[in-house]
Amino acid sequence: MNKAAIELSEYRLGKAKDLLKQADVLLKHQGYDGSINRSYYAIFNAVRALLALLNLDSQRHSGVIAYFDRYFVKTGICEKLLSRIVHDAFDVRQVSDYEDFAAPTFEQAQLQFDNATTLIDQVEQIRALLI
């Protein structure tokens, strides 16, 4: 594995952790839609951190998710639960960000935050094995 891929992966994971902190602050201050958004982007950047190790990326969110499923979930490197977390976060964020009159609840935001925390913890473990 080349040094540039490892550095990019580390950068993206750091960004994911920063976004998770933002999600936590928003959650604690009742900014549920913002927390859901930040949790999703924490997940998205954590997934991209793994993809960087394989020199893969996509300009589309759906492409990033498809690569994750293909190269990490279907191969058994990641458990299917992580795929469900990613897909659910994408769907919930879409509704929260784009649906008129969407009113995310504390429970929805907390679930997304907890899922993002789980996924980032798993990504850290997987990266340690791959590097």
Side-chain angles (χ1 to χ4, degrees):
M1 192 160 311
N2 69 45
K3 183 178 175 182
I6 294 170
E7 288 176 358
L8 179 57
S9 177
E10 179 122 353
Y11 170 79
R12 288 176 177 172
L13 185 58
K15 188 171 182 178
K17 290 177 182 181
D18 287 343
L19 289 162
L20 189 62
K21 289 177 190 174
Q22 293 173 26
D24 189 34
V25 169
L26 287 162
L27 180 63
K28 288 176 179 170
H29 290 91
Q30 300 177 346
Y32 304 136
D33 57 341
S35 180
I36 287 169
N37 179 283
R38 299 292 83 189
S39 291
Y40 168 74
Y41 278 101
I43 289 169
F44 181 73
N45 279 279
V47 167
R48 288 183 72 224
L50 287 179
L51 295 179
L53 297 175
L54 301 180
N55 295 310
L56 293 171
D57 202 10
S58 175
Q59 293 184 5
R60 298 177 47 90
H61 289 240
S62 59
V64 167
I65 295 167
Y67 278 149
F68 174 69
D69 285 342
R70 180 176 179 187
Y71 291 98
F72 288 94
V73 178
K74 289 184 180 174
T75 60
I77 296 170
C78 293
E79 55 189 85
K80 288 183 181 179
L81 169 64
L82 297 184
S83 178
R84 284 193 295 273
I85 287 173
V86 173
H87 286 269
D88 184 51
F90 178 82
D91 293 342
V92 170
R93 196 232 3 146
Q94 290 287 104
V95 169
S96 177
D97 282 358
Y98 300 113
E99 291 288 324
D100 290 333
F101 306 109
T105 65
F106 167 79
E107 291 79 15
Q108 289 171 315
Q110 182 69 57
L111 177 61
Q112 293 308 310
F113 177 79
D114 292 344
N115 284 345
T117 301
T118 297
L119 185 126
I120 289 171
D121 288 345
Q122 289 294 308
V123 165
E124 285 185 300
Q125 293 176 26
I126 293 162
R127 279 185 76 251
L129 295 173
L130 295 175
I131 295 178

